[in-house]
Amino acid sequence: MNAEKVAAHIINWLKDYVDTSGLKGFTVGVSGGIDSAVTSTLCARTGYPVIVLNMPIHQASDQVCRAGEHIARLSKTYDNVTGHDVNLTPVFEQVKTTLPSDIQDGLTMANTRARLRMLTLYSFASHHRMLVAGTGNKVEDFGVGFYTKYGDGGVDISPIADLMKTEVYALGRYLGVSQDILSARPTDGLWEDNRTDESQIGASYEELEWAMAYEAGDKSRDITDRQKKILEVYRKFNRTNRHKMEPIPVCVIPEELKL
């Protein structure tokens, strides 16, 4: 991948899109991970106003620190970038006192965190007349559906969704993303035990990229036992999360029933 040309292409695409939209710029949630660091840097390089938000909810200190340092670095480098820290922990705790306790299982409340962040992003974006830029990569968005519906999946545009995770890292190195972020183990940051993406999925991003390529290519070649396991993991997530990756089903009413 030619990182320089890919970065230029995405930046030009962002410029064209915001010009056509009639809006003023971009709002991006920053987590301390590589995807949000790359997305926010690309948005900053457009020259349009960019708001970057750090939105911790009982967040691990290293994640909060990396996000804060990235925002500070962006704000110092690009005068079109404004950073904000929005502590959503009190809001999340209030939601917990409002919802019935018997529906507050781990996954439900993890997804609730992501949806609170989406509400916050759109509050800033709406007020400032901006687009919410998504931070999902191709593996997450179109391979395993590893995101929250109407949470981090609730965005206006997806600048890096055609890039594999390894390609996002390559772009991050080109853009000068900090080594702390480049070396951090990927996590969605939605669990208090600080679990990683790999521990939740059961395969690394490199392995999932292999599975996506295998599914799209020649399936007749021999594969190892580990690769067979990776395919099982990939196919299960792809099947289970298909509802996230396809348009909302619409019940089409036959015209004769409307007469």
Short mmCIF file of all heavy atoms in Angstrom, two decimals, residues 131-162:
data_model
loop_
_atom_site.label_atom_id
_atom_site.label_comp_id
_atom_site.label_asym_id
_atom_site.label_seq_id
_atom_site.Cartn_x
_atom_site.Cartn_y
_atom_site.Cartn_z
N LEU A 131 -20.07 16.82 10.55
CA LEU A 131 -20.30 15.41 10.27
C LEU A 131 -19.59 14.56 11.32
O LEU A 131 -18.45 14.87 11.70
CB LEU A 131 -19.75 15.04 8.89
CG LEU A 131 -20.41 15.71 7.68
CD1 LEU A 131 -19.46 15.66 6.48
CD2 LEU A 131 -21.72 15.02 7.34
N VAL A 132 -20.22 13.50 11.78
CA VAL A 132 -19.56 12.54 12.66
C VAL A 132 -18.78 11.55 11.80
O VAL A 132 -19.36 10.84 10.96
CB VAL A 132 -20.57 11.79 13.54
CG1 VAL A 132 -19.86 10.69 14.35
CG2 VAL A 132 -21.28 12.76 14.49
N ALA A 133 -17.47 11.53 11.97
CA ALA A 133 -16.61 10.63 11.20
C ALA A 133 -16.41 9.33 11.96
O ALA A 133 -15.96 9.33 13.11
CB ALA A 133 -15.26 11.29 10.92
N GLY A 134 -16.77 8.22 11.34
CA GLY A 134 -16.62 6.91 11.97
C GLY A 134 -15.18 6.45 11.97
O GLY A 134 -14.36 6.89 11.14
N THR A 135 -14.86 5.53 12.87
CA THR A 135 -13.48 5.06 13.01
C THR A 135 -13.34 3.56 12.74
O THR A 135 -12.30 2.98 13.02
CB THR A 135 -12.96 5.37 14.43
OG1 THR A 135 -13.77 4.67 15.40
CG2 THR A 135 -13.02 6.87 14.72
N GLY A 136 -14.37 2.94 12.18
CA GLY A 136 -14.31 1.51 11.92
C GLY A 136 -13.45 1.16 10.73
O GLY A 136 -13.43 1.88 9.73
N ASN A 137 -12.73 0.03 10.81
CA ASN A 137 -11.94 -0.47 9.68
C ASN A 137 -12.72 -1.56 8.95
O ASN A 137 -13.83 -1.94 9.35
CB ASN A 137 -10.57 -0.95 10.15
CG ASN A 137 -10.69 -2.07 11.17
OD1 ASN A 137 -11.16 -3.17 10.86
ND2 ASN A 137 -10.27 -1.80 12.41
N LYS A 138 -12.15 -2.08 7.87
CA LYS A 138 -12.86 -3.04 7.02
C LYS A 138 -13.15 -4.36 7.72
O LYS A 138 -14.21 -4.96 7.51
CB LYS A 138 -12.04 -3.29 5.74
CG LYS A 138 -12.80 -4.03 4.66
CD LYS A 138 -12.01 -4.02 3.35
CE LYS A 138 -12.83 -4.60 2.21
NZ LYS A 138 -12.10 -4.49 0.90
N VAL A 139 -12.24 -4.81 8.56
CA VAL A 139 -12.45 -6.07 9.26
C VAL A 139 -13.63 -5.94 10.21
O VAL A 139 -14.52 -6.81 10.27
CB VAL A 139 -11.19 -6.49 10.05
CG1 VAL A 139 -11.43 -7.80 10.78
CG2 VAL A 139 -9.99 -6.63 9.12
N GLU A 140 -13.68 -4.86 10.96
CA GLU A 140 -14.76 -4.64 11.92
C GLU A 140 -16.09 -4.39 11.22
O GLU A 140 -17.12 -4.96 11.60
CB GLU A 140 -14.42 -3.44 12.81
CG GLU A 140 -13.24 -3.67 13.73
CD GLU A 140 -12.78 -2.39 14.40
OE1 GLU A 140 -13.08 -1.28 13.88
OE2 GLU A 140 -12.10 -2.48 15.43
N ASP A 141 -16.07 -3.51 10.22
CA ASP A 141 -17.33 -3.06 9.62
C ASP A 141 -17.94 -4.05 8.64
O ASP A 141 -19.17 -4.13 8.52
CB ASP A 141 -17.11 -1.73 8.90
CG ASP A 141 -17.00 -0.56 9.87
OD1 ASP A 141 -16.97 -0.80 11.09
OD2 ASP A 141 -16.93 0.60 9.40
N PHE A 142 -17.10 -4.81 7.92
CA PHE A 142 -17.63 -5.68 6.87
C PHE A 142 -17.20 -7.14 6.99
O PHE A 142 -17.64 -7.97 6.19
CB PHE A 142 -17.21 -5.14 5.49
CG PHE A 142 -17.68 -3.74 5.24
CD1 PHE A 142 -16.78 -2.68 5.19
CD2 PHE A 142 -19.03 -3.47 5.09
CE1 PHE A 142 -17.22 -1.39 4.97
CE2 PHE A 142 -19.48 -2.18 4.88
CZ PHE A 142 -18.58 -1.14 4.82
N GLY A 143 -16.36 -7.43 7.97
CA GLY A 143 -15.93 -8.81 8.17
C GLY A 143 -16.66 -9.48 9.32
O GLY A 143 -17.43 -10.43 9.12
N VAL A 144 -16.43 -8.98 10.54
CA VAL A 144 -17.00 -9.62 11.72
C VAL A 144 -18.07 -8.78 12.41
O VAL A 144 -18.67 -9.22 13.39
CB VAL A 144 -15.89 -10.00 12.74
CG1 VAL A 144 -15.01 -11.11 12.19
CG2 VAL A 144 -15.04 -8.79 13.12
N GLY A 145 -18.32 -7.56 11.92
CA GLY A 145 -19.35 -6.73 12.54
C GLY A 145 -19.05 -6.41 13.98
O GLY A 145 -19.94 -6.40 14.84
N PHE A 146 -17.78 -6.12 14.27
CA PHE A 146 -17.35 -5.92 15.66
C PHE A 146 -17.52 -4.44 16.04
O PHE A 146 -16.56 -3.68 16.12
CB PHE A 146 -15.89 -6.36 15.83
CG PHE A 146 -15.45 -6.48 17.26
CD1 PHE A 146 -16.01 -7.44 18.09
CD2 PHE A 146 -14.47 -5.66 17.79
CE1 PHE A 146 -15.60 -7.57 19.41
CE2 PHE A 146 -14.06 -5.76 19.10
CZ PHE A 146 -14.63 -6.73 19.91
N TYR A 147 -18.75 -4.05 16.22
CA TYR A 147 -19.07 -2.70 16.66
C TYR A 147 -20.50 -2.70 17.19
O TYR A 147 -21.24 -3.69 17.04
CB TYR A 147 -18.94 -1.69 15.50
CG TYR A 147 -19.81 -1.97 14.30
CD1 TYR A 147 -21.10 -1.45 14.21
CD2 TYR A 147 -19.33 -2.75 13.24
CE1 TYR A 147 -21.90 -1.71 13.10
CE2 TYR A 147 -20.12 -3.00 12.14
CZ TYR A 147 -21.41 -2.48 12.07
OH TYR A 147 -22.19 -2.74 10.98
N THR A 148 -20.89 -1.62 17.82
CA THR A 148 -22.22 -1.52 18.40
C THR A 148 -23.17 -0.83 17.44
O THR A 148 -22.90 0.27 16.97
CB THR A 148 -22.19 -0.72 19.73
OG1 THR A 148 -21.37 -1.41 20.68
CG2 THR A 148 -23.59 -0.55 20.31
N LYS A 149 -24.27 -1.49 17.15
CA LYS A 149 -25.30 -0.91 16.30
C LYS A 149 -25.86 0.33 16.99
O LYS A 149 -26.27 0.29 18.15
CB LYS A 149 -26.41 -1.93 16.07
CG LYS A 149 -27.26 -1.70 14.83
CD LYS A 149 -28.17 -2.90 14.62
CE LYS A 149 -28.92 -2.80 13.31
NZ LYS A 149 -29.75 -4.01 13.07
N TYR A 150 -25.87 1.44 16.28
CA TYR A 150 -26.29 2.74 16.82
C TYR A 150 -25.41 3.20 17.98
O TYR A 150 -25.83 4.01 18.80
CB TYR A 150 -27.78 2.72 17.23
CG TYR A 150 -28.67 2.28 16.10
CD1 TYR A 150 -29.42 1.11 16.20
CD2 TYR A 150 -28.72 3.00 14.92
CE1 TYR A 150 -30.21 0.68 15.16
CE2 TYR A 150 -29.51 2.58 13.87
CZ TYR A 150 -30.25 1.43 13.99
OH TYR A 150 -31.03 1.01 12.93
N GLY A 151 -24.19 2.66 18.01
CA GLY A 151 -23.18 3.14 18.96
C GLY A 151 -22.04 3.69 18.13
O GLY A 151 -22.19 4.70 17.44
N ASP A 152 -20.89 2.99 18.13
CA ASP A 152 -19.80 3.42 17.26
C ASP A 152 -20.11 3.15 15.80
O ASP A 152 -19.42 3.64 14.91
CB ASP A 152 -18.47 2.77 17.67
CG ASP A 152 -18.58 1.27 17.86
OD1 ASP A 152 -19.64 0.78 18.27
OD2 ASP A 152 -17.58 0.57 17.63
N GLY A 153 -21.19 2.40 15.54
CA GLY A 153 -21.65 2.20 14.17
C GLY A 153 -22.57 3.31 13.70
O GLY A 153 -22.93 3.36 12.53
N GLY A 154 -22.95 4.23 14.60
CA GLY A 154 -23.82 5.34 14.24
C GLY A 154 -23.01 6.55 13.83
O GLY A 154 -22.63 7.36 14.68
N VAL A 155 -22.72 6.66 12.54
CA VAL A 155 -21.85 7.73 12.03
C VAL A 155 -22.42 8.27 10.72
O VAL A 155 -23.32 7.69 10.13
CB VAL A 155 -20.41 7.23 11.82
CG1 VAL A 155 -19.81 6.71 13.11
CG2 VAL A 155 -20.36 6.14 10.74
N ASP A 156 -21.84 9.39 10.26
CA ASP A 156 -22.24 9.96 8.97
C ASP A 156 -21.37 9.48 7.82
O ASP A 156 -21.86 9.28 6.70
CB ASP A 156 -22.16 11.49 9.04
CG ASP A 156 -23.17 12.08 10.00
OD1 ASP A 156 -24.33 11.66 9.97
OD2 ASP A 156 -22.78 12.97 10.79
N ILE A 157 -20.08 9.32 8.07
CA ILE A 157 -19.13 8.91 7.03
C ILE A 157 -18.11 7.96 7.65
O ILE A 157 -17.86 7.99 8.85
CB ILE A 157 -18.40 10.11 6.41
CG1 ILE A 157 -17.75 10.98 7.49
CG2 ILE A 157 -19.34 10.94 5.54
CD1 ILE A 157 -16.90 12.10 6.93
N SER A 158 -17.51 7.12 6.79
CA SER A 158 -16.53 6.13 7.26
C SER A 158 -15.26 6.22 6.43
O SER A 158 -15.09 5.52 5.43
CB SER A 158 -17.12 4.72 7.17
OG SER A 158 -18.21 4.55 8.04
N PRO A 159 -14.32 7.06 6.84
CA PRO A 159 -13.12 7.31 6.03
C PRO A 159 -12.18 6.13 5.88
O PRO A 159 -11.49 6.03 4.86
CB PRO A 159 -12.42 8.46 6.79
CG PRO A 159 -13.47 9.05 7.67
CD PRO A 159 -14.39 7.94 8.01
N ILE A 160 -12.11 5.24 6.89
CA ILE A 160 -11.11 4.16 6.81
C ILE A 160 -11.75 2.77 6.70
O ILE A 160 -11.09 1.76 6.88
CB ILE A 160 -10.14 4.19 8.02
CG1 ILE A 160 -10.88 3.93 9.34
CG2 ILE A 160 -9.40 5.52 8.07
CD1 ILE A 160 -9.97 3.68 10.52
N ALA A 161 -13.04 2.71 6.37
CA ALA A 161 -13.75 1.43 6.36
C ALA A 161 -13.38 0.54 5.18
O ALA A 161 -13.83 -0.60 5.12
CB ALA A 161 -15.26 1.66 6.39
N ASP A 162 -12.58 1.03 4.25
CA ASP A 162 -12.10 0.19 3.16
C ASP A 162 -10.65 -0.24 3.38
O ASP A 162 -10.00 -0.77 2.48
CB ASP A 162 -12.22 0.91 1.81
CG ASP A 162 -12.13 -0.05 0.63
OD1 ASP A 162 -12.64 -1.18 0.74
OD2 ASP A 162 -11.52 0.32 -0.39
#
